[in-house]
Amino acid sequence: MKKRYILSPGPTSVPSEVLLAQAAPVMHHRTPQFAEIAKECFEGLKKVFLTESPVLIFASSGTGAMESAVVNLLSPGDKTIVIRSGKFGERWGELCEAYGVGFTPIDVEWGKAVKPADVAAALKKTPGAKAVFATHCETSTGVLHPVKELAAVTAGTDAVLVVDAVSSLGGVPLRTDEWGVDVVVTGSQKAIMLPPGLAFASISEKAKKLSESAKCPRYYFDWRPALKSYAKNDFAWTPAVNMMFGLRESLKMLLEEGMENVFARHARLATAVRAAVAALGLELFAEAPADVVTAVKVPEGIDGGALVKKLRDEQGITIAGGQGHVKGKIFRIATMGFADTYDVPVVIAGLEVVLSQLGYSFKVGSGVGAAVKTLAK
Ligand code: PMP
């Protein structure tokens, strides 16, 4: 027997209350009973997205909601700005390419955060740009990008700000309305505490207007029929009924804790992980680390792939390695969603076991000690 722990940046572990809710008998979706559940989910999502705008639900992974933003906001040949600072920023560019939407890339070194002034300059140099595509927490690097400042840049322009918050929403503050973010997309399998399978997109009035004239081909992800149904607590197509049962439960749990407390919990856990990392003599990869995932540089002489594999296969703890050109060079510990105090000493203890086995020189217990000291504050 091996007890398994999942501290990867998605999928994340799911509370049993949510899993049990999803195990209820299937309900028909065109019924007043299901409309009640849909209504609760729509209302709850607004509170988690910190917006008064509609939040649509798709039966897809997070990338589906990203694709929905591109096809609903733009027409082939349109000009946009894409911030590429890791694997997921690159995805915005790939989606634009797939639909013939033009984009000016802002390439940011992996591990660094975008400078809002660079986005302002790119917008100036791209008259008529219709959208800026950004990533809130770039999961591949663990960087939290300054979305509030980016929203201040797009506010005075015709461009909408579209933010991939797949790994941050519900973990770190993203004040959609207060900051003026037009479209926020996320997925179910991270801080929202659900299995993979749902995606969400909030749509501001400015974004909705743009979507009325966009010419990219769209059907399944067309916001127009989805918004029409949304107004009646309904769905254009068959929703993922049982995942909606789970969503209702996870939203209830998040809102009972209170979003500000949820953010504070994430900050506390990530601070403890960072303290442990420093005490172990390891270095963070991100210059502006997000409180949902901590990316750490693999120390010289240690095989990063083996570290992640040993932790998973021998210790039962799943974290993530690096992606793209930082594969083998970093590892990532997520404390997002259904993560609490004692997940931190568990993952740090496992890390210490594996680091000792791989011959890394450090004082055993120093990481766990630093984490516990931080958590005790
Ligand atoms: N954006 C970010 C920031 C992500 O972390 C992920 C998933 N790791 C995605 C997009 C893609 O989401 P999905 O795999 O759910 O399509």
Side-chain angles (χ1 to χ4, degrees), residues 164-206:
D164 166 358
V166 170
S167 62
S168 60
L169 195 106
V172 294
L174 201 174
R175 305 191 190 281
T176 305
D177 284 3
E178 192 185 315
W179 297 350
V181 185
D182 294 292
V183 176
V184 175
V185 298
T186 195
S188 54
Q189 76 276 25
K190 313 246 178 183
I192 308 277
M193 308 194 296
L194 284 173
L198 292 183
F200 312 97
S202 72
I203 300 158
S204 74
E205 212 32 60
K206 185 173 168 187

Side-chain angles (χ1 to χ4, degrees), residues 9 61-63 66 88 91 135 137-139 164 166-167 189-190:
S61 78
T63 305
M66 292 174 77
F88 298 103
R91 189 163 299 179
T135 314
C137 169
E138 175 51 77
T139 322
D164 166 358
V166 170
S167 62
Q189 76 276 25
K190 313 246 178 183

